[in-house]
Amino acid sequence: MNKTLLLFKTMVKMHFSMVGKDEKFKFNVFIISIALIPIGIMWMFLLNTIISSLYLVLEPTGHESIIIATGLVLTGILLLFTSIPSILSSFYFAEDIEDYLAMPFHPYQLVIGKSLAPLLTIYGLSAVIIVPILFFYGLASGGGILFALNGFLTFIFFPLIPFILSSLMVMVLMRYANISKNKDRTKLVAGMFSLFLIVGFNVIIRLNQDTEQLSQGFATWVEQQDQLLWNFTKFLPNVYAATNALEVEVWWHSILFLILFLLITVIAMALFIVFGQRFYYQGVLGIAGGGKGKKVANIETRTSSRSILWSYTIKELKTIIRTPAFFMNCVINSLFAPFFIFIMMFIDENIGAMADTLQSIAPKSILLAMFLFSLFVLGTNATATSSISREGTNWFTNLYMPIQPKTILYGKLLAAWIVEFVSIVLLLILFGFVINVPIIVLLLWLILVIGGSWISNLIGVYIDIYNPKLNWNDEQQVFKSRFAPLLSLLILFFGFGTLVLSLWFLPFVTNVWITFLILSIVIGASIYFTQRKLIQTVHNQFMYIMEK
């Protein structure tokens, strides 16, 4: 037990270590925290409205506890699936796993220690969902000290069950599946599964948005009073126990269910330790094994003469595509917004009316709105803001290759631009074939957004050069707790947002061609000065990036 606590404490210190973190990093964390406050206030207001309304409806029927049960079930399902990529990355695919294997620890001790990163993600989501639900439910029901105590224990122990279930599935899969030659594919499939689960959930809600039908179905469901709560939560016993524990009208009844809830959690933790001891080492050793049946190709048939710039660009693209963490954060996440909007509008029955309304809007306003929205989508892409950081400790190899720093810079910029071009194509389909934007406006937008994409990448690479994150053990750390993507988006959105608003209200800018001309001049000038400054920065900072 002492070794387990020592290992966990060591991993906690390494994860939260501020060694090498300058004051700029701390300031960035502070700014991000401040920026999240308005979003948190809006989320709290929304939850308070929903819970208060539901409580007024359900309290006369005696089924107000369904609010807690629903929140816990949805949270449990969300945690169950979203934790799988983090568990895979931390348990099996972290760079430091081989270092721990040589130490005198049991498999279950390593599993407990490696649970830190996934648990941080899970408790973060739980704090955003479970805590507000319990807080506003307590206000509505007038819960006292016993409710507060049970709610606190629920928040502490409830996320462990979804985490343990996900861990057990992953450990069994990694033990018996042929993962050794499909390591990257496994992480990619897990991440995309979580993403498509979220999209699918929203699509189902969208398809079933008839409020009268939903209200009637919900009323009929509530009228089924016999074993209602059990029928709702029987596939997650800890939800049933936790919900009854939070019903504090009869204190001893609440205490008994609290004990049952804690007992279920303890049993799950025991299973987690047993499975970790039984399956973890075999799964890790299976990854270390080499793949079989690989063909040896003739290198002469696979080489061709190409420019250094294009070769470096292809190298960057292959790194992004073949590394699941990079592919998910640089490609898939950037496609989420246009893909999600495309799905929502495709299944919207009023899309024809929207297209007709668009015909009555001035082309200038359409162009400005499309351009500003596109900048927001492109600004959220993390390819440019991670261009230097993706190299990690291998950055020093660029110092020895016979390639000019400017060529490396343009290779990274071109790779980021190609990745963003996929989002541009999706937006083009959305605007041109779904919303039916006029063809002239669509062509002008396409020219502007291509230039906007390049300036977006210039800003992102410039920020990453001055504050790269090279000392990472897991590819996910390149994108976690970083201020660079948000800073790039704010610079891009504030600068061009101010310009768009000015052009929108200026009385003498009434023609779409004048609007296009002004935007083109500003984008061209921005590209010239930013690119010139970036090249100077690369020549000055190229040798010193490793020291950051």
Side-chain angles (χ1 to χ4, degrees):
M1 189 64 183
N2 291 334
K3 284 187 177 181
T4 306
L5 293 177
L6 177 62
L7 178 63
F8 189 80
K9 188 192 302 184
T10 302
M11 290 186 176
V12 169
K13 288 182 178 180
M14 293 178 63
H15 192 88
F16 292 102
S17 175
M18 297 301 291
V19 177
K21 307 279 178 53
D22 53 11
E23 293 298 326
K24 184 187 296 185
F25 174 81
K26 300 176 183 177
F27 178 75
N28 292 342
V29 173
F30 173 75
I31 293 296
I32 292 176
S33 302
I34 296 298
L36 291 176
I37 291 178
I39 300 176
I41 293 175
M42 294 175 59
W43 172 245
M44 291 288 187
F45 177 79
L46 177 64
L47 275 182
N48 184 30
T49 303
I50 294 174
I51 293 173
S52 301
S53 302
L54 286 177
Y55 189 86
L56 290 176
V57 174
L58 295 175
E59 195 270 338
T61 66
H63 293 94
E64 64 274 11
S65 58
I66 286 295
I67 299 174
I68 297 178
T70 305
L72 294 179
V73 167
L74 294 179
T75 304
I77 295 174
L78 178 66
L79 298 180
L80 182 66
F81 291 104
T82 57
S83 60
I84 291 178
S86 182
I87 291 171
L88 275 170
S89 180
S90 180
F91 281 21
Y92 295 96
F93 301 139
E95 297 292 332
D96 61 350
I97 188 63
E98 294 183 3
D99 298 331
Y100 290 110
L101 290 177
M103 297 181 181
F105 294 111
H106 290 287
Y108 79 88
Q109 293 173 324
L110 288 178
V111 168
I112 293 175
K114 298 296 289 183
S115 300
L116 172 65
L119 281 174
L120 287 176
T121 304
I122 283 180
Y123 274 103
L125 290 173
S126 299
V128 172
I129 302 176
I130 294 180
V131 172
I133 290 176
L134 295 180
F135 177 76
F136 291 123
Y137 181 87
L139 290 180
S141 62
I145 297 177
L146 183 58
F147 178 86
L149 176 61
N150 291 351
F152 175 75
L153 293 176
T154 300
F155 167 70
I156 295 298
F157 292 102
F158 178 81
L160 294 177
I161 298 291
F163 168 76
I164 290 172
L165 291 177
S166 299
S167 301
L168 297 184
M169 290 190 295
V170 168
M171 285 191 285
V172 173
L173 173 67
M174 298 296 289
R175 169 62 181 87
Y176 293 106
N178 184 16
I179 301 298
S180 60
K181 61 181 180 181
N182 296 305
K183 169 183 174 181
D184 291 345
R185 190 179 304 169
T186 302
K187 292 194 288 186
L188 180 59
V189 170
M192 294 186 68
F193 175 76
S194 300
L195 182 64
F196 286 128
L197 178 71
I198 298 173
V199 175
F201 182 75
N202 282 275
V203 169
I204 292 174
I205 293 178
R206 183 75 171 182
L207 289 172
N208 295 276
Q209 59 179 356
D210 188 342
T211 54
E212 293 185 1
Q213 183 179 357
L214 287 176
S215 299
Q216 293 175 0
F218 185 72
T220 304
W221 180 59
V222 170
E223 290 177 358
Q224 301 173 356
Q225 299 185 10
D226 294 334
Q227 300 296 323
L228 178 62
L229 180 59
W230 172 249
N231 290 331
F232 190 76
T233 62
K234 59 185 177 182
F235 57 93
L236 285 176
N238 64 321
V239 175
Y240 179 73
T243 304
N244 280 278
L246 291 168
E247 291 183 349
V248 295
E249 285 80 5
V250 182
W251 67 270
W252 61 268
H253 180 273
S254 176
I255 295 297
L256 287 178
F257 275 101
L258 178 62
I259 294 173
L260 176 61
F261 170 69
L262 296 178
L263 181 61
I264 294 173
T265 306
V266 170
I267 294 174
M269 294 172 65
L271 287 175
F272 176 70
I273 293 174
V274 171
F275 271 68
Q277 182 69 21
R278 176 67 180 83
F279 296 107
Y280 183 60
Y281 268 179
Q282 290 84 347
V284 174
L285 294 177
I287 294 176
K292 297 181 180 180
K294 293 183 178 180
K295 297 180 180 180
V296 179
N298 185 0
I299 192 172
E300 293 182 359
T301 63
R302 301 186 62 181
T303 57
S304 59
S305 177
R306 62 167 68 107
S307 67
I308 297 176
L309 173 61
W310 185 240
S311 297
Y312 195 90
T313 303
I314 292 177
K315 187 272 283 187
E316 284 288 305
L317 290 174
K318 287 182 177 179
T319 300
I320 294 172
I321 294 174
R322 293 176 178 177
T323 308
F326 297 160
F327 184 74
M328 286 296 301
N329 288 277
C330 297
V331 181
I332 298 299
N333 285 354
S334 65
L335 298 180
F336 178 78
F339 180 74
F340 181 74
I341 295 173
F342 177 81
I343 296 255
M344 293 302 100
M345 299 195 68
F346 184 76
I347 63 178
D348 196 332
E349 299 177 355
N350 298 321
I351 190 171
M354 183 184 300
D356 295 337
T357 304
L358 197 65
Q359 303 301 322
S360 62
I361 301 177
K364 161 198 162 181
S365 301
I366 299 175
L367 179 63
L368 290 174
M370 290 170 55
F371 178 69
L372 193 61
F373 173 76
S374 303
L375 282 185
F376 176 78
V377 172
L378 298 178
T380 58
N381 191 295
T383 308
T385 54
S386 63
S387 56
I388 308 298
S389 301
R390 288 195 305 267
E391 299 279 351
T393 55
N394 294 325
W395 171 259
F396 73 93
T397 58
N398 292 315
L399 305 179
Y400 300 99
M401 289 193 300
I403 304 178
Q404 292 292 328
K406 183 169 67 174
T407 303
I408 295 176
L409 169 68
Y410 280 121
K412 292 182 177 296
L413 284 170
L414 189 57
W417 183 84
I418 292 174
V419 171
E420 285 191 354
F421 191 76
V422 180
S423 298
I424 294 176
V425 171
L426 278 180
L427 291 174
L428 179 64
I429 296 173
L430 174 65
F431 293 144
F433 298 96
V434 179
I435 307 180
N436 294 326
V437 173
I439 185 65
I440 296 297
V441 177
L442 193 65
L443 292 176
L444 296 180
W445 164 84
L446 183 60
I447 298 173
L448 292 175
V449 80
I450 289 175
S453 175
W454 189 256
I455 187 66
S456 171
N457 293 322
L458 287 171
I459 295 173
V461 173
Y462 185 85
I463 294 173
D464 198 38
I465 283 180
Y466 269 100
N467 191 26
K469 188 173 185 178
L470 301 176
N471 297 318
W472 46 265
N473 297 319
D474 181 10
E475 295 94 343
Q476 287 287 352
Q477 296 178 5
V478 176
F479 306 96
K480 291 180 178 179
S481 303
R482 294 204 67 207
F483 185 66
L486 179 60
L487 180 59
S488 175
L489 177 62
L490 290 177
I491 293 175
L492 187 71
F493 207 64
F494 179 77
F496 283 96
T498 303
L499 175 64
V500 166
L501 290 177
S502 301
L503 294 176
W504 193 294
F505 293 107
L506 285 176
F508 57 86
V509 182
T510 58
N511 191 294
V512 67
W513 294 101
I514 297 177
T515 304
F516 170 76
L517 180 62
I518 295 175
L519 286 174
S520 300
I521 293 174
V522 173
I523 291 175
S526 301
I527 290 176
Y528 173 77
F529 289 108
T530 306
Q531 188 166 299
R532 184 174 179 180
K533 179 65 176 177
L534 183 59
I535 293 175
Q536 295 175 355
T537 302
V538 168
H539 283 289
N540 296 332
Q541 298 290 123
F542 196 78
M543 298 293 295
Y544 303 101
I545 290 179
M546 288 294 294
E547 298 178 3
K548 290 185 175 293

